[in-house]
Amino acid sequence: MVFVDSEDSEVIWPLCCVACLVTLLTLRANEKKKRGRRRKMSGDEQQRFSSDGGVHSHSKVEEALEVKSLRRIISAFLNYSDAAEEDVRRYERSYQKLSPAHKALLSEFPLKCQRLRRCISANSYFIMNMLQAFEPPLDMSQDIDTCECDHIENHSKGCVSGEKSFCSGTSASTSGRPQFSEIEHANCGEESNLTRKSPDGRISDQVLAEAPMISESVDGSWSLSPKYTKESEFVGSNDVKTTNNQEALDSFPDHNGNENYSVHDWLDPSFQLNVPLVDVDKVRCIIRSIVRDWASEGWKERDQCYTPILEELDRLFPNRSKDGPPSCLVPGAGLGRLALEISCLGFASQGNEFSYYMMICSSFILNQSQTAGEWTIYPWIHSNCNSFSDNDQIRPISFPDIHPASAGITEGFSMCGGDFIEVYNDPSQEGAWDAVVTCFFLDTAHNIVEYIEIISRILKERGVWINLGPLLYHFADAYGTEDEMSIELSLEDVKRVCFNYGFELERENTIETTYTANPRSMMQNRYFAAFWTMRKKGML
């Protein structure tokens, strides 16, 4: 559902959580207006859409579920630096166990640890800026007793962000990739440190991969929030200390060290949760997904996956009108690049995303980016495996490669947050779309047949469905959850189901591609993804 801001004609970016609670986020299309604007829905507007198309009040239990889920997600972002710092300390403990002769052969190792800490600080700086810009759709300061968790879990199986159950520690995203499960390396394209852990951006100046130097050092890692000083230069591997400094929560510095942001109340430590390490791995997946969608280094993957889709849309809809552009839905939109590219092609494009991890990040990039190359992150630092060199592992990535608000989007571009089935299985969506594009999305379903049924239902007669992706079913290995449904079909059976729901196959191909892969890694996971164009049959 697209909402229009009466004050101007800017594109609206709605976010709905799993319960379809909507927050509007404005993407400014005017190049003169550099930053996006947001508005929260009023209390009267905060309604939950029921399955029959009506609405009912957002109940206290539902709101409690979402607040707890969102706190967990925010806590995962905030715990990123602590988890990364613990990895570095583990590396150092292993190094200290070496004999003097072996240490002498690895004399550069302390410097590498120092560089890793700088990279962690840069990533954390971006994360904190992103969280500062986020405006939660709910009152995050409300006092919710943690003992309500069991009641909440029994009340609802799903929760906001792709968490299957807030208490369970498992997750299930429909973002297309990553799945964010224990088999993270299969779904995110990179090795994960998850099984090896103990249970227990921008920076001031450019950090160079060859010999990183920065003018401002970081006095303390970002356990909860950043604490910048100008007191010393980096001179060794131990010049960054772990600290939980309450002062750091009172303000946040810009890249010149000036304190220019006010920390939101919901970032207070009293609202933060201890989250499982799998949640922090989701944050690492988001960082790698930024490269795929919004960095120049991700161009190759975008060319493999997005270009064939864009070319097919261009071929199928040759006479697009600005006054009445064809509508295109992109379920599992992730960080939003494909949906934006489709909009720039002349479609009224809407991305749909379930994961709040993805939505927080995509909203920041789409709405808050002021220039191309504004941020710098270090996405490959979390795995020491399969690196040709340390410089390959510790290399900066700048993003976004384009300024989203200046990209030439078509009026009507929007992003809709929520579960694909819940949002689009509504009578108002029937026959609403000229095209549906699914990229690395179909295998995120518990029941792929239901996905296909809804895609058929929401397409207009003779509407087009373009799909690209593998069949790495996300719930196939969901161990320990007795009632976890997972329908896993072969490609042949998937197409047979499609034909049953009134689709005709027009084009079919196989495309070899990677997914959030490090192009300089010795290991490259490749998919032979199914690529097809199907058309919904018209009524006889």
Side-chain angles (χ1 to χ4, degrees):
M1 183 176 294
V2 178
F3 297 83
V4 178
D5 192 326
S6 59
E7 297 179 10
D8 50 45
S9 60
E10 296 165 351
V11 175
I12 299 300
W13 201 102
L15 277 179
C16 330
C17 63
V18 170
C20 296
L21 182 67
V22 180
T23 297
L24 302 184
L25 301 172
T26 303
L27 172 62
R28 294 195 178 268
N30 190 330
E31 292 186 25
K32 295 180 181 179
K33 300 174 181 178
K34 295 296 185 181
R35 296 186 68 88
R37 177 166 52 84
R38 303 174 173 182
R39 107 175 147 82
K40 281 189 180 181
M41 297 190 75
S42 67
D44 292 336
E45 292 175 299
Q46 293 181 356
Q47 298 171 321
R48 183 169 189 246
F49 291 82
S50 62
S51 59
D52 60 1
V55 297
H56 60 81
S57 299
H58 198 64
S59 75
K60 182 178 179 181
V61 171
E62 291 166 341
E63 186 165 331
L65 169 68
E66 297 190 25
V67 168
K68 293 180 78 67
S69 298
L70 195 47
R71 284 182 186 173
R72 173 170 171 170
I73 292 161
I74 292 167
S75 296
F77 279 114
L78 293 172
N79 279 292
Y80 162 83
S81 60
D82 274 349
E85 169 63 22
E86 175 55 32
D87 283 343
V88 177
R89 287 196 292 263
R90 178 168 54 83
Y91 305 155
E92 291 174 328
R93 288 194 297 269
S94 296
Y95 175 76
Q96 293 301 326
K97 294 177 182 179
L98 294 175
S99 66
H102 289 178
K103 283 183 180 178
L105 293 174
L106 304 177
S107 59
E108 297 298 314
F109 188 82
L111 175 62
K112 177 181 178 179
C113 292
Q114 173 188 345
R115 295 169 69 186
L116 286 172
R117 286 189 167 98
R118 295 174 184 173
C119 297
I120 292 167
S121 295
N123 291 351
S124 300
Y125 184 75
F126 165 72
I127 288 171
M128 287 302 297
N129 274 272
M130 180 179 68
L131 293 179
Q132 288 285 344
F134 176 58
E135 294 182 11
L138 293 158
D139 178 11
M140 299 296 293
S141 65
Q142 57 186 290
D143 185 18
I144 299 176
D145 191 348
T146 55
C147 68
E148 292 179 0
C149 191
D150 291 338
H151 172 61
I152 292 171
E153 182 178 359
N154 293 332
H155 180 271
S156 174
K157 291 293 184 183
C159 47
V160 60
S161 84
E163 299 296 334
K164 185 186 63 176
S165 164
F166 178 80
C167 299
S168 69
T170 59
S171 60
S173 168
T174 56
S175 61
R177 284 295 187 279
Q179 176 193 0
F180 300 144
S181 72
E182 282 79 358
I183 52 169
E184 183 255 359
H185 105 213
N187 292 324
C188 293
E190 283 298 306
E191 303 97 331
S192 171
N193 289 330
L194 182 64
T195 58
R196 300 193 295 273
K197 295 174 182 172
S198 71
D200 295 335
R202 287 180 299 184
I203 52 178
S204 57
D205 292 312
Q206 277 192 328
V207 178
L208 303 179
E210 290 295 327
M213 294 295 295
I214 60 175
S215 61
E216 298 175 358
S217 64
V218 180
D219 184 11
S221 65
W222 295 34
S223 56
L224 293 176
S225 63
K227 176 67 175 177
Y228 276 79
T229 69
K230 295 184 178 180
E231 296 173 358
S232 62
E233 295 288 335
F234 282 110
V235 294
S237 62
N238 296 319
D239 56 351
V240 179
K241 304 178 181 65
T242 301
T243 180
N244 289 309
N245 195 325
Q246 178 60 37
E247 244 180 85
L249 291 167
D250 297 332
S251 60
F252 185 74
D254 64 14
H255 63 282
N256 292 317
N258 301 315
E259 296 180 351
N260 61 345
Y261 294 113
S262 297
V263 173
H264 297 317
D265 291 341
W266 47 268
L267 289 178
D268 188 275
S270 64
F271 296 133
Q272 295 172 22
L273 306 171
N274 292 321
V275 297
L277 290 172
V278 66
D279 284 14
V280 180
D281 266 15
K282 300 175 189 182
V283 177
R284 296 174 178 180
C285 285
I286 293 296
I287 292 173
R288 292 197 291 272
S289 294
I290 290 173
V291 180
R292 173 181 169 86
D293 262 21
W294 293 105
S296 297
E297 187 163 330
W299 174 86
K300 184 176 181 180
E301 282 192 0
R302 294 196 299 273
D303 187 54
Q304 291 168 343
C305 296
Y306 298 170
T307 299
I309 292 171
L310 297 170
E311 290 177 347
E312 189 71 348
L313 282 171
D314 187 47
R315 181 186 71 84
L316 292 167
F317 297 88
N319 302 313
R320 299 182 293 279
S321 168
K322 290 185 178 179
D323 296 330
S327 58
C328 181
L329 175 66
V330 187
L335 296 185
R337 181 59 178 266
L338 179 57
L340 179 136
E341 295 287 355
I342 292 173
S343 176
C344 294
L345 202 60
F347 288 78
S349 171
Q350 181 173 102
N352 164 239
E353 178 52 48
F354 182 48
S355 167
Y356 236 130
Y357 288 92
M358 291 282 187
M359 289 193 292
I360 291 172
C361 186
S362 63
S363 171
F364 183 75
I365 295 172
L366 289 169
N367 293 307
Q368 303 298 325
S369 296
Q370 299 184 68
T371 61
E374 181 178 2
W375 299 97
T376 299
I377 56 173
Y378 296 79
W380 316 119
I381 62 173
H382 300 297
S383 173
N384 290 327
C385 301
N386 291 309
S387 294
F388 284 103
S389 72
D390 287 346
N391 288 334
D392 283 341
Q393 180 188 2
I394 308 174
R395 69 184 190 276
I397 299 294
S398 297
F399 72 95
D401 62 320
I402 60 172
H403 180 218
S406 306
I409 57 177
T410 302
E411 185 176 355
F413 172 61
S414 62
M415 294 285 285
C416 177
D419 178 79
F420 171 69
I421 293 172
E422 290 190 20
V423 175
Y424 296 96
N425 197 23
D426 188 275
S428 65
Q429 294 293 319
E430 187 169 345
W433 300 93
D434 294 298
V436 172
V437 166
T438 51
C439 183
F440 278 77
F441 173 72
L442 280 185
D443 55 2
T444 67
H446 284 279
N447 179 3
I448 191 172
V449 177
E450 189 173 24
Y451 271 19
I452 296 168
E453 179 183 17
I454 293 175
I455 292 171
S456 175
R457 185 181 304 150
I458 66 179
L459 276 172
K460 297 177 181 178
E461 291 182 21
R462 305 302 296 167
V464 172
W465 174 22
I466 301 173
N467 174 73
L468 188 149
L471 293 174
L472 181 62
Y473 291 102
H474 283 201
F475 299 96
D477 298 315
Y479 302 115
T481 50
E482 296 179 3
D483 297 326
E484 195 76 86
M485 175 189 286
S486 181
I487 304 300
E488 301 141 21
L489 305 181
S490 67
L491 179 59
E492 181 181 356
D493 286 341
V494 169
K495 289 188 289 186
R496 181 174 53 81
V497 172
C498 294
F499 300 152
N500 183 74
Y501 281 102
F503 284 106
E504 298 175 317
L505 183 64
E506 290 193 349
R507 285 194 172 190
E508 184 178 18
N509 195 9
T510 299
I511 291 179
E512 183 178 353
T513 181
T514 57
Y515 193 93
T516 64
N518 180 353
R520 299 190 195 175
S521 172
M522 297 171 68
M523 184 187 77
Q524 301 286 331
N525 291 326
R526 297 187 178 275
Y527 297 95
F528 293 92
F531 178 54
W532 73 60
T533 298
M534 293 191 185
R535 189 179 295 273
K536 181 179 175 180
K537 296 177 182 178
M539 298 293 291
L540 297 176

